[in-house]
Amino acid sequence: MARARTDEAKDERRQALLAAALDEFFEKGFAATRMDDIARRASLSKGALYLYFDSKEAMFQALIESLASPNLEIIEQITEHAASLKEALHGIREFAPFLIRQTDLPRLMKVLVGDSQLFPEIVQTYRQELIERVLSMIADLLQRADETGEAKIENPQLTARLIMAPVIFSALWQAVFNQTSEAEVDLDQLFAIHEQMMLNALQIGTTP
């Protein structure tokens, strides 16, 4: 295959390599995947692959960045621009099913869990660049709600984890178990129930 010449062609090839890498990591695990496998799946030579990435670790890091960045921006929009905690919780409820069904984050999480002991530095990067940033955004939102009197929240950091817990669980369920129809979960209903439970627990909107 000819070398990509334009910036657009280079970006397309880079994205194709990342997609191939995620497929290989998901199917075989990070440790068992070889750079040859990734290049072959992307219909490129190993030499072409090394023009873009010098290691599997670099590819996984790039996957984290490419998948995390746009979704973090959406969560930031929800938490920063919502007029109230109630509105923000509704925004999270609406975004969560899309995040799980329509993005590759669940598959990335499955790879991470499967081989986490083999690359602790990448696990730390994932935690810092995605999980902790999301938790921090939601904790800040909860802190503001407590300060304005919209809700009484004694520990915003731990409450943020309760809000995100079903998202993490559902993402792992999607990646690991949701291979047959009987394992499918009604995510819209699940997160609607979770939203109402959080509203009740935080005593939001319980009085006229």
Short mmCIF file of all heavy atoms in Angstrom, two decimals, residues 14 22 28-29 82 88 97 100 115 118 125 131 151 189 195:
data_model
loop_
_atom_site.label_atom_id
_atom_site.label_comp_id
_atom_site.label_asym_id
_atom_site.label_seq_id
_atom_site.Cartn_x
_atom_site.Cartn_y
_atom_site.Cartn_z
N ARG A 14 -3.92 6.43 10.65
CA ARG A 14 -3.71 6.33 12.10
C ARG A 14 -4.96 5.80 12.79
O ARG A 14 -4.87 4.92 13.66
CB ARG A 14 -3.33 7.69 12.67
CG ARG A 14 -2.95 7.70 14.15
CD ARG A 14 -2.51 9.08 14.56
NE ARG A 14 -2.00 9.10 15.94
CZ ARG A 14 -2.78 9.23 17.00
NH1 ARG A 14 -4.10 9.36 16.87
NH2 ARG A 14 -2.25 9.22 18.22
N LEU A 22 -7.49 -2.02 18.66
CA LEU A 22 -8.53 -2.30 19.65
C LEU A 22 -9.20 -3.64 19.38
O LEU A 22 -9.48 -4.40 20.31
CB LEU A 22 -9.57 -1.18 19.64
CG LEU A 22 -10.70 -1.32 20.68
CD1 LEU A 22 -10.14 -1.45 22.09
CD2 LEU A 22 -11.65 -0.13 20.59
N LYS A 28 -7.84 -10.86 21.68
CA LYS A 28 -6.74 -11.71 22.13
C LYS A 28 -6.17 -11.31 23.48
O LYS A 28 -5.44 -12.09 24.11
CB LYS A 28 -5.60 -11.67 21.09
CG LYS A 28 -6.00 -12.18 19.73
CD LYS A 28 -4.84 -12.03 18.74
CE LYS A 28 -5.23 -12.51 17.35
NZ LYS A 28 -4.14 -12.29 16.38
N GLY A 29 -6.46 -10.10 23.93
CA GLY A 29 -5.82 -9.57 25.12
C GLY A 29 -4.59 -8.78 24.74
O GLY A 29 -3.99 -9.01 23.68
N ALA A 82 -25.09 22.85 33.14
CA ALA A 82 -26.45 22.56 33.62
C ALA A 82 -26.86 23.63 34.64
O ALA A 82 -26.05 24.09 35.44
CB ALA A 82 -26.49 21.18 34.27
N ALA A 88 -28.31 18.33 35.52
CA ALA A 88 -27.08 17.61 35.21
C ALA A 88 -27.27 16.09 35.32
O ALA A 88 -26.78 15.34 34.48
CB ALA A 88 -25.96 18.07 36.14
N PRO A 97 -26.39 5.80 28.16
CA PRO A 97 -26.66 4.71 27.21
C PRO A 97 -25.89 4.87 25.90
O PRO A 97 -25.41 3.89 25.33
CB PRO A 97 -28.17 4.81 26.98
CG PRO A 97 -28.70 5.45 28.23
CD PRO A 97 -27.64 6.44 28.62
N ILE A 100 -22.25 3.80 26.33
CA ILE A 100 -22.07 2.36 26.43
C ILE A 100 -22.36 1.66 25.11
O ILE A 100 -21.65 0.73 24.70
CB ILE A 100 -22.96 1.80 27.56
CG1 ILE A 100 -22.45 2.33 28.91
CG2 ILE A 100 -22.98 0.28 27.55
CD1 ILE A 100 -23.43 2.16 30.03
N ASP A 115 -5.87 -7.40 31.37
CA ASP A 115 -4.41 -7.45 31.43
C ASP A 115 -3.83 -6.36 32.32
O ASP A 115 -2.68 -5.96 32.17
CB ASP A 115 -3.82 -7.29 30.02
CG ASP A 115 -3.86 -8.58 29.22
OD1 ASP A 115 -3.90 -9.65 29.85
OD2 ASP A 115 -3.88 -8.52 27.99
N LEU A 118 -0.31 -6.42 33.84
CA LEU A 118 0.85 -6.45 32.96
C LEU A 118 1.35 -5.06 32.58
O LEU A 118 2.49 -4.92 32.14
CB LEU A 118 0.51 -7.23 31.68
CG LEU A 118 0.11 -8.69 31.88
CD1 LEU A 118 -0.27 -9.32 30.56
CD2 LEU A 118 1.25 -9.47 32.54
N THR A 125 -2.64 5.69 33.84
CA THR A 125 -2.99 6.74 32.88
C THR A 125 -4.49 6.76 32.63
O THR A 125 -5.11 7.83 32.61
CB THR A 125 -2.24 6.52 31.55
OG1 THR A 125 -0.84 6.61 31.78
CG2 THR A 125 -2.65 7.56 30.52
N ILE A 131 -11.16 8.24 34.35
CA ILE A 131 -12.00 7.98 35.51
C ILE A 131 -11.94 9.12 36.52
O ILE A 131 -12.97 9.66 36.94
CB ILE A 131 -11.59 6.65 36.19
CG1 ILE A 131 -11.70 5.47 35.20
CG2 ILE A 131 -12.47 6.40 37.42
CD1 ILE A 131 -13.08 5.21 34.68
N ALA A 151 -29.04 20.61 47.38
CA ALA A 151 -29.01 19.27 47.95
C ALA A 151 -28.04 19.28 49.12
O ALA A 151 -27.15 20.14 49.19
CB ALA A 151 -28.58 18.24 46.92
N GLN A 189 -34.01 2.42 30.57
CA GLN A 189 -34.80 2.24 31.78
C GLN A 189 -33.91 2.15 33.01
O GLN A 189 -34.22 2.70 34.07
CB GLN A 189 -35.65 0.97 31.66
CG GLN A 189 -36.57 0.71 32.84
CD GLN A 189 -37.66 1.76 32.99
OE1 GLN A 189 -37.92 2.54 32.08
NE2 GLN A 189 -38.29 1.80 34.15
N GLU A 195 -31.45 7.55 37.96
CA GLU A 195 -31.65 8.99 38.12
C GLU A 195 -32.67 9.29 39.21
O GLU A 195 -32.43 10.14 40.09
CB GLU A 195 -32.12 9.60 36.80
CG GLU A 195 -32.43 11.09 36.89
CD GLU A 195 -33.12 11.63 35.66
OE1 GLU A 195 -33.69 10.83 34.88
OE2 GLU A 195 -33.11 12.86 35.45
#
